[in-house]
Amino acid sequence: KMPRHAKKLRDHDINPCLAETDATTKCMDDNNYKKDMCTDYFLKYKNCRKFWHGIMMQRKRSGVKPEMPSAEEREKILESMG
């Protein structure tokens, strides 16, 4: 059984950067944990986190719940941005 924290990180509604997380992990596995081989993946992950953190802060200030939009809602947000 997965610990609660790990389960939350695997939940697409809670973790908006699941794909980036998995891609980074796979790159590290494939490249014998040489971080410099996966710079692009780390950057994409960092940008993803930064972007959704900004959205969360905005929603928090506006009193919107939940602070992290659901996976479905995030898709709509991204589409509206092109």
Side-chain angles (χ1 to χ4, degrees), residues 13-72:
D13 280 330
I14 296 168
N15 182 357
C17 302
L18 200 50
E20 290 78 0
T21 304
D22 289 348
T24 305
T25 303
K26 186 183 181 323
C27 180
M28 289 291 280
D29 288 344
D30 292 350
N31 290 287
N32 211 16
Y33 296 91
K34 293 188 181 85
K35 266 190 169 174
D36 54 337
M37 300 288 284
C38 302
T39 311
D40 286 352
Y41 291 96
F42 283 111
L43 198 60
K44 278 183 188 142
Y45 173 77
K46 202 170 138 190
N47 289 338
C48 178
R49 297 291 310 168
K50 197 191 292 178
F51 175 79
W52 290 113
H53 181 75
I55 298 275
M56 263 176 62
M57 298 283 64
Q58 210 175 2
R59 287 168 68 104
K60 197 174 194 169
R61 280 193 298 272
S62 308
V64 179
K65 296 272 181 211
E67 283 156 19
M68 176 53 72
S70 69
E72 200 178 310

